[in-house]
Amino acid sequence: MVADSVKLTGEDIEELKQLGEAHFWPHSRPIGDMSDETGIKLISKAEGVWVEDGEGNRWVDTLAGMWLKNIGHGRKEIAEAVYQQMQDVSYSPGGTVSPATVRLAAKVASLSPDPDSRVYFVSGGSEAVETALKIAKAYHKNNGEPTRYKVISRRGSYHGATHACMALGGSAASGPQDYGPLVPGNIHIAQPNKYRGPHTDIECAEELERTILHEGPHTVAAFIGEPISAAAGIHIPDSGYWPRIREICDKYGVIMICDEVITGFGRTGKMFATEHWDIQPDIFTVAKALTSGYLPIGAAVASKKVADNFMGQDNMLRHLITFGGNPASCAAGLANLEIMENEDVVQNSAEMGDYLYEQLQTLYEHPIVGDVRGGMGLICGIEIVKDRDTKERFPAEANLGPILDKLMSDHGLLGRAGDVIALSPPLTITRDEVDFVVRQLDSVLEQAEAQLGAE
């Protein structure tokens, strides 16, 4: 139960909804809708895996906010750490750095695949990826190879919302339909997807080598990919995929960037997902769960090999982010990581992730469940299909997403649903809470089948 919930009066709620409909511009949703049926929910309290509105209605946050609330909602320790830091130093002027920023850089490096790495702080995931791309291209320039500017990424990936990041993966969700041509120099290859194929994971990896050779190794700066891509449907790659990617990048001098913005800090049952395959990226990006979303932050973490390339005035990285390394955000990050370590949050992610994946297998009883993916921490996906045998998807006119969203809300679940129902709850989730989520999903799918005519 959410303790000490903030109850809003009927007048408060009505006023806030009117203000929101008139002035609030929500992310990736129609503007002007704060209705109970289809609009943005007005929540006033959150604790653990639960969020609550002003009238006392509660939902399990099945997506950990936006893949980031790893230690759960309502941790006062974070607020206290931020309050103290803001009393001391709230912003570091140019040419200065706060102790919290230095300590967080050292802490992140100590947890990284390369403990001698350096950490470039930014405000969020998109900036972290942009920074990583700049580092990769500048690295080659410093090495006397300025022709290396191309970046290879995987179709269907999502690496951020800025214009350069949209070009990575080239997915329809962030493609050129609204914003004109994508940034040039971005090449896309296949994404691991054992459910739909047609290639094996190793064949997807081998496409990287063929693409490098086709483009010319002297033109390729970097390859970027998420260890597990949430945007592409949460497919766990085979054990040989990432080691083979690492071999190919080494062979042709290509910087390997791993986007751990979603998978980092315990999401997959390891501190960083690359630990599952014992690989070391040249650069990896983090954000979201570094503070568990309590304050904005992000970082590009460069291995010693890459970072040492920028020593000296002539080789320095000419790049600056206004809120990068903000002292309050870094204090939140330090407190967040301390909680994760003291409470064995990563271990709980591994254990509850196994349990969640096991319990989700029961949902195969529903004919619209085509595939259940997971088994690597608390990141799972349920693919919904019209026909399990042919793997045919529901057509757009079936309104699958709106139907599932409404049913999930009615059953106390807050998250994201469509062709894939993504599950990525706070890493503090308990066994009883996992049981609640799966039980409610069972009812959601039963009612969805009736509405979709798929019984």
Side-chain angles (χ1 to χ4, degrees), residues 265-287:
F265 302 106
R267 176 56 55 191
T268 68
K270 300 282 189 183
M271 185 58 74
F272 298 109
T274 51
E275 295 175 39
H276 288 285
W277 303 285
D278 194 27
I279 60 165
Q280 180 176 303
D282 297 307
I283 307 169
F284 69 96
T285 57
V286 294

Side-chain angles (χ1 to χ4, degrees), residues 13-14 17 21 33-42 53 55 57 59 406 409-410:
I13 293 171
E14 185 60 30
K17 286 187 175 183
E21 288 172 352
D33 185 3
M34 293 193 68
S35 65
D36 292 334
E37 293 76 23
T38 59
I40 298 291
K41 289 178 172 60
L42 183 66
D53 69 11
E55 297 176 301
N57 299 306
W59 298 268
K406 177 66 164 56
S409 178
D410 291 345

Side-chain angles (χ1 to χ4, degrees), residues 251-268:
K251 183 176 180 180
Y252 297 102
V254 172
I255 295 294
M256 188 177 88
I257 304 171
C258 288
D259 184 343
E260 293 249 26
V261 168
I262 285 177
T263 57
F265 302 106
R267 176 56 55 191
T268 68

Side-chain angles (χ1 to χ4, degrees), residues 340-400:
M340 292 186 70
E341 292 184 326
N342 289 345
E343 299 182 10
D344 293 327
V345 171
V346 178
Q347 181 62 27
N348 193 68
S349 173
E351 293 174 1
M352 289 301 100
D354 287 345
Y355 182 65
L356 173 61
Y357 183 56
E358 174 188 316
Q359 296 305 110
L360 290 176
Q361 305 306 309
T362 63
L363 300 183
Y364 276 118
E365 296 176 0
H366 298 280
I368 64 173
V369 173
D371 195 27
V372 174
R373 299 188 281 273
M376 190 172 280
L378 282 164
I379 181 167
C380 296
I382 306 163
E383 184 152 348
I384 306 301
V385 294
K386 183 178 181 181
D387 188 303
R388 183 183 289 171
D389 292 332
T390 65
K391 304 179 184 178
E392 178 188 0
R393 294 186 173 97
F394 280 95
E397 56 268 24
N399 292 318
L400 176 63

Side-chain angles (χ1 to χ4, degrees), residues 66-79:
M66 194 176 287
W67 315 87
L68 52 69
K69 215 69 188 168
N70 284 19
I71 63 169
H73 298 272
R75 298 302 297 251
K76 291 181 173 59
E77 304 97 309
I78 307 292

